[in-house]
Amino acid sequence: MAQGCLKCLKLTMCAANFLCFICGVVLLSLGIYAMVNFKFHSLLPSLASFNIANVLLISGIIITCVSFLGFLGALKENRCLLLTFFVLLFLLMLAELTAACFLLVKDKEIGQWLEKDLKAGLEKGKGKFGNSTDVFSEWELVQNTFQCCGVHNASDWGDKIVTACPTSTPLSKQKGCLDKLRIWFEDNFLTIGISIIILCIIEVLGMCFAMTLFCHISRSGLGYKL
């Protein structure tokens, strides 16, 4: 009975990590494609290195590496790989919880920083619109997604309003992107919180499965089987 449960646990870990590995490869591929085919102008100058392409690339690398360790560790019943998988999952969960707590505690300071950085990013973005067909601006993405214009209103773009702001909505009805982003975050606060909780639960289950298999391997004396 116990051997059957452990075999089921091993197959579950392999299947789950394989699916995560595929997702990681897809994100990695999208990140590489975006970096090669688009020139990104950052929405937030302070986080210029964390544009869409880089975020996809980093996320893909992390998911691919962690899931590969979990898959190979479970498949080969290797204690070293399983322990590394456990530690990495724990560190990822700790980083996610720390970031979530920081956002909750420092929401006012973050709001002030966001407003200041958006203004700086908008100033750098002026002159990009309509001048180059290969420049993909995160400002364009945000404004078209949220049907907003500028930081506070369309006048932030000055004489670039016509080319910078979305054309699907009249300028008089377009709010600033800062307000739209705040409204979106408030409306989706519960969904974001639930998503973080679900992600942490998945990571905890992954750690539990890895440690259970690790203990079984230790007792059976197959610690470094390859």
Short mmCIF file of all heavy atoms in Angstrom, two decimals, residues 81-91 204 206-208 210-211:
data_model
loop_
_atom_site.label_atom_id
_atom_site.label_comp_id
_atom_site.label_asym_id
_atom_site.label_seq_id
_atom_site.Cartn_x
_atom_site.Cartn_y
_atom_site.Cartn_z
N LEU A 81 18.76 16.48 -5.71
CA LEU A 81 17.89 17.27 -6.57
C LEU A 81 16.58 17.63 -5.86
O LEU A 81 16.08 18.75 -6.00
CB LEU A 81 17.60 16.51 -7.87
CG LEU A 81 18.79 16.29 -8.81
CD1 LEU A 81 18.37 15.46 -10.01
CD2 LEU A 81 19.35 17.63 -9.28
N LEU A 82 16.03 16.68 -5.12
CA LEU A 82 14.79 16.94 -4.41
C LEU A 82 14.98 18.00 -3.32
O LEU A 82 14.11 18.86 -3.13
CB LEU A 82 14.26 15.64 -3.78
CG LEU A 82 13.67 14.63 -4.75
CD1 LEU A 82 13.38 13.31 -4.03
CD2 LEU A 82 12.38 15.17 -5.38
N LEU A 83 16.10 17.95 -2.63
CA LEU A 83 16.37 18.94 -1.59
C LEU A 83 16.57 20.33 -2.21
O LEU A 83 16.08 21.33 -1.67
CB LEU A 83 17.61 18.53 -0.79
CG LEU A 83 17.94 19.40 0.43
CD1 LEU A 83 16.79 19.40 1.42
CD2 LEU A 83 19.23 18.92 1.10
N THR A 84 17.26 20.38 -3.33
CA THR A 84 17.45 21.66 -4.04
C THR A 84 16.11 22.21 -4.50
O THR A 84 15.84 23.41 -4.38
CB THR A 84 18.37 21.48 -5.25
OG1 THR A 84 19.61 20.91 -4.83
CG2 THR A 84 18.64 22.81 -5.92
N PHE A 85 15.26 21.35 -5.03
CA PHE A 85 13.91 21.73 -5.45
C PHE A 85 13.11 22.29 -4.27
O PHE A 85 12.45 23.33 -4.39
CB PHE A 85 13.21 20.49 -6.04
CG PHE A 85 11.77 20.70 -6.39
CD1 PHE A 85 11.42 21.47 -7.49
CD2 PHE A 85 10.77 20.12 -5.64
CE1 PHE A 85 10.08 21.65 -7.83
CE2 PHE A 85 9.43 20.29 -5.97
CZ PHE A 85 9.09 21.07 -7.06
N PHE A 86 13.21 21.63 -3.13
CA PHE A 86 12.51 22.07 -1.92
C PHE A 86 12.99 23.46 -1.49
O PHE A 86 12.18 24.35 -1.20
CB PHE A 86 12.76 21.06 -0.79
CG PHE A 86 12.16 21.46 0.53
CD1 PHE A 86 10.87 21.09 0.87
CD2 PHE A 86 12.90 22.21 1.45
CE1 PHE A 86 10.31 21.46 2.08
CE2 PHE A 86 12.36 22.59 2.66
CZ PHE A 86 11.06 22.22 2.98
N VAL A 87 14.29 23.66 -1.45
CA VAL A 87 14.86 24.94 -1.01
C VAL A 87 14.47 26.07 -1.96
O VAL A 87 14.09 27.17 -1.52
CB VAL A 87 16.40 24.84 -0.91
CG1 VAL A 87 17.01 26.20 -0.65
CG2 VAL A 87 16.78 23.88 0.22
N LEU A 88 14.53 25.82 -3.27
CA LEU A 88 14.17 26.85 -4.24
C LEU A 88 12.70 27.23 -4.14
O LEU A 88 12.34 28.42 -4.21
CB LEU A 88 14.48 26.37 -5.66
CG LEU A 88 15.97 26.28 -6.02
CD1 LEU A 88 16.14 25.70 -7.42
CD2 LEU A 88 16.63 27.65 -5.94
N LEU A 89 11.83 26.24 -3.96
CA LEU A 89 10.40 26.53 -3.78
C LEU A 89 10.17 27.35 -2.51
O LEU A 89 9.36 28.30 -2.51
CB LEU A 89 9.59 25.24 -3.70
CG LEU A 89 9.19 24.58 -5.01
CD1 LEU A 89 8.31 23.37 -4.73
CD2 LEU A 89 8.45 25.56 -5.92
N PHE A 90 10.86 27.01 -1.46
CA PHE A 90 10.73 27.75 -0.20
C PHE A 90 11.18 29.21 -0.38
O PHE A 90 10.51 30.13 0.10
CB PHE A 90 11.55 27.07 0.90
CG PHE A 90 11.54 27.82 2.20
CD1 PHE A 90 10.43 27.76 3.03
CD2 PHE A 90 12.63 28.59 2.59
CE1 PHE A 90 10.39 28.46 4.23
CE2 PHE A 90 12.61 29.29 3.79
CZ PHE A 90 11.49 29.23 4.61
N LEU A 91 12.30 29.42 -1.06
CA LEU A 91 12.80 30.78 -1.29
C LEU A 91 11.85 31.59 -2.17
O LEU A 91 11.63 32.78 -1.92
CB LEU A 91 14.19 30.72 -1.93
CG LEU A 91 15.32 30.17 -1.04
CD1 LEU A 91 16.61 30.06 -1.83
CD2 LEU A 91 15.52 31.05 0.19
N VAL A 204 3.63 24.95 -1.48
CA VAL A 204 3.69 24.16 -0.25
C VAL A 204 3.46 22.68 -0.55
O VAL A 204 4.15 21.81 0.00
CB VAL A 204 2.65 24.67 0.77
CG1 VAL A 204 2.51 23.70 1.94
CG2 VAL A 204 3.05 26.04 1.30
N GLY A 206 4.11 21.19 -3.35
CA GLY A 206 5.32 20.73 -4.01
C GLY A 206 6.42 20.43 -3.01
O GLY A 206 7.13 19.42 -3.14
N MET A 207 6.58 21.29 -1.99
CA MET A 207 7.59 21.06 -0.95
C MET A 207 7.26 19.82 -0.13
O MET A 207 8.16 19.03 0.21
CB MET A 207 7.70 22.29 -0.05
CG MET A 207 8.36 23.47 -0.71
SD MET A 207 8.71 24.83 0.43
CE MET A 207 7.07 25.41 0.78
N CYS A 208 5.97 19.63 0.19
CA CYS A 208 5.56 18.45 0.96
C CYS A 208 5.82 17.17 0.19
O CYS A 208 6.33 16.18 0.74
CB CYS A 208 4.08 18.56 1.33
SG CYS A 208 3.70 19.85 2.53
N ALA A 210 7.99 16.75 -2.25
CA ALA A 210 9.43 16.56 -2.38
C ALA A 210 10.03 16.02 -1.08
O ALA A 210 10.88 15.10 -1.12
CB ALA A 210 10.10 17.88 -2.75
N MET A 211 9.60 16.54 0.06
CA MET A 211 10.17 16.09 1.33
C MET A 211 9.72 14.67 1.67
O MET A 211 10.49 13.87 2.23
CB MET A 211 9.76 17.05 2.45
CG MET A 211 10.48 16.81 3.77
SD MET A 211 12.29 16.73 3.61
CE MET A 211 12.68 18.35 2.95
#
